[in-house]
Amino acid sequence: MVTRRDVARLAGTSDAVVSYVLNNGPRNVAPHTRERVLRAIDELGYRPNVVARSLRTSRTHTIGLVVPDNANPFFAELAREIEDVAFEHGLTLLLGNAMDDDDREAAYVRTLIDRQVDGLILIPAHGPHAWRSQLAASKVPCIVLDRELDETPASHLLLDNEGGAYEATGHLLAHGQRRIGCVAGPKNIHPTVDRVAGWSRALTEAGLDPASMPLVHGPFGRRHGYLGGHQLLSQEGRPTALFVTSDEQAIGVIRAAAELGLSVPGDVALCSFDGIAASSYTVPALTTMRQPIEVLGRRAVELLAAQIGDASGGERVVLSATLIRRGSCGCPDPVGGVDDA
Ligand code: RIB
């Protein structure tokens, strides 16, 4: 079996330098030396003994990520950003998809802890999170994204959902809309609660009564947007505008409006949330509150890497969304859905 020492001899360097190249640190290695080591590894077909290394360094150079539903492009695009930055840090990403199921989420959290990941990034589903005590006992560094986990010491990286919804609804009001309904996400999670609060505050400050506006809750996906759109837009005294709490839902609303013979934005103006790539390609393109997915992904890995390197946890970082104006609200519809942000 080829050993690290064989690689060091062929590369004309020490075992330690080979280790620094393999572990991306902790010491720097001159580029020409790194090149010789990598060439020796290739030539000899050396495969580091990951289990032995993890026993020595108590690190596996892997991190876990659990998301509610990676069929939703928001989570898929965020997971890709996280994976890109993890790779930059020499970390392998193990992804678990909870499918919004509490037991499945718990199974992934426990499995990833058992497999000795160096850290965890969690976007919690909606349930009781029964795994919290085991996570705390494991001392595995953890970053919670997007949905706040109450009474958990983990660091949180969140979005100002209330402020984003307030700005989106304010934009519809600025277009002269006065009957603004809401197609909202699942009732019992922070992003939904906060987005409905922002929609409600904007209406109240405009002298309108949110309780008189139609509101429907359901999953963040296209199907709920489609069904919720039919429900709200086929009513007597239907809304002439909708704040929709995800782009995926808004794609469903556009389909429902078309089936009801309603034009967007002429008969019903829309403003949604997330800023996924698909929001550029609906007809008209979606005006949306874009979440800083690239920043969220990078900050999550950097916060986690710092905690793996023994920095303290418990931070709470809140980022803001950016209004992207396109045709669905009544603004000009840019060719190719190109953003103006
Ligand atoms: O579209 C999925 C939604 O769930 C996003 O808005 C994200 O914030 C998550 O909470």
Side-chain angles (χ1 to χ4, degrees), residues 72 74-75 146-147 191 195 220 245-246 274 291:
N72 183 317
F74 172 80
F75 297 121
D146 189 75
R147 292 118 184 249
R195 289 174 201 173
F220 277 119
T245 61
S246 78
D274 283 344
Q291 297 204 48

Side-chain angles (χ1 to χ4, degrees), residues 2-242:
V2 176
T3 66
R4 194 167 50 187
R5 175 142 307 167
D6 299 328
V7 173
R9 279 206 194 98
L10 182 59
T13 186
S14 67
D15 293 16
V17 167
V18 173
S19 169
Y20 300 152
V21 171
L22 290 171
N23 294 314
N24 234 356
R27 296 263 175 91
N28 290 327
V29 176
H32 65 279
T33 304
R34 174 182 297 276
E35 187 47 43
R36 288 206 320 272
V37 169
L38 294 174
R39 212 168 28 248
I41 288 171
D42 280 348
E43 202 170 306
L44 296 171
Y46 172 69
R47 298 294 302 146
N49 181 333
V50 177
V51 174
R53 183 175 68 177
S54 66
L55 290 175
R56 272 197 315 281
T57 63
S58 73
R59 286 194 56 188
T60 60
H61 300 274
T62 57
I63 59 173
L65 168 64
V66 183
V67 300
D69 174 10
N70 68 352
N72 183 317
F74 172 80
F75 297 121
E77 292 174 22
L78 181 52
R80 186 187 60 192
E81 292 301 326
I82 290 171
E83 199 269 335
D84 281 353
V85 181
F87 187 79
E88 284 176 24
H89 284 253
L91 297 168
T92 299
L93 182 77
L94 302 178
L95 173 67
N97 181 16
M99 294 296 286
D100 279 323
D101 175 278
D102 305 324
D103 295 337
R104 186 164 163 154
E105 179 183 73
Y108 269 119
V109 172
R110 293 185 179 113
T111 299
L112 291 165
I113 291 172
D114 293 346
R115 287 177 184 259
Q116 308 283 310
V117 290
D118 295 337
L120 267 177
I121 298 174
L122 299 176
I123 304 180
H126 321 322
H129 312 123
W131 40 264
R132 265 189 294 195
S133 54
Q134 184 177 6
L135 177 61
S138 72
K139 302 278 188 269
V140 170
C142 176
I143 305 292
V144 175
L145 272 184
D146 189 75
R147 292 118 184 249
E148 192 146 15
L149 263 190
D150 304 322
E151 299 135 34
T152 300
S155 293
H156 281 75
L157 186 52
L158 305 168
L159 188 95
D160 176 10
N161 289 292
E162 197 275 353
Y166 176 81
E167 184 174 358
T169 307
H171 186 66
L172 292 169
L173 288 161
H175 273 288
Q177 296 295 344
R178 287 297 174 273
R179 186 142 177 75
I180 305 173
C182 181
V183 175
K187 272 187 186 171
N188 56 348
I189 62 167
H190 289 288
T192 301
V193 171
D194 294 345
R195 289 174 201 173
V196 171
W199 162 76
S200 176
R201 177 164 68 97
L203 292 174
T204 303
E205 290 184 5
L208 301 168
D209 176 10
S212 71
M213 305 293 179
L215 163 64
V216 61
H217 284 279
F220 277 119
R222 297 182 185 188
R223 186 70 187 157
H224 168 63
Y226 170 78
L227 297 175
H230 263 287
Q231 181 183 331
L232 299 191
L233 298 177
S234 50
Q235 291 173 354
E236 277 300 306
R238 64 169 180 76
T240 56
L242 289 173

